Amino acid sequence: MHKHVEWDDPGADSVQRYFADKPDEYPTAHVGSIIAGRYHGYSVRVRVEARVDDDTASIGDVVALISVRTGERTKNIGDLSIGDTVRLGDDHRALAPRTSS
């Protein structure tokens, strides 16, 4: 079973928004992909284990938690930790942040 996460809105870093005018280039997640969502100011990297919900969401394990602001890595944010299994909808996928570190 996966852990329920209330993902942050990816805003300007939304993968769907970025590729809205380039649908042929949209990077569909597949098993083995590393995708990202935003949670409490962190980029949460998820290794996709399965596609669900009519291929509009991924389920996978958290493999990295990286501060969007500083690039610092951590092992947990509140009750979300590396190794947790989560569901990440395509509407909450985010581009990797650009940090100076």
Side-chain angles (χ1 to χ4, degrees):
M1 194 65 179
H2 66 275
K3 181 177 275 194
H4 179 75
V5 175
E6 290 290 332
W7 298 102
D8 297 344
D9 182 339
D13 291 329
S14 167
V15 170
Q16 283 186 337
R17 186 179 302 164
Y18 180 81
F19 287 98
D21 60 345
K22 312 169 209 155
D24 294 337
E25 297 177 32
Y26 182 78
T28 303
H30 58 275
V31 173
S33 295
I34 303 293
I35 60 175
R38 297 291 167 80
Y39 181 71
H40 294 265
Y42 281 78
S43 177
V44 179
R45 307 290 170 86
V46 176
R47 180 180 300 117
V48 177
E49 300 293 332
R51 292 287 291 164
V52 296
D53 300 337
D54 293 328
D55 207 31
T56 62
S58 299
I59 292 185
D61 295 333
V62 175
V63 295
L65 299 166
I66 305 166
S67 170
V68 172
R69 189 176 51 79
T70 66
E72 180 181 343
R73 293 175 178 257
T74 188
K75 293 184 182 198
N76 62 351
I77 308 162
D79 64 348
L80 183 64
S81 301
I82 291 179
D84 286 345
T85 302
V86 297
R87 177 192 172 283
L88 177 58
D90 288 347
D91 59 335
H92 283 96
R93 285 180 57 193
L95 299 169
R98 294 185 182 141
T99 60
S100 59
S101 41

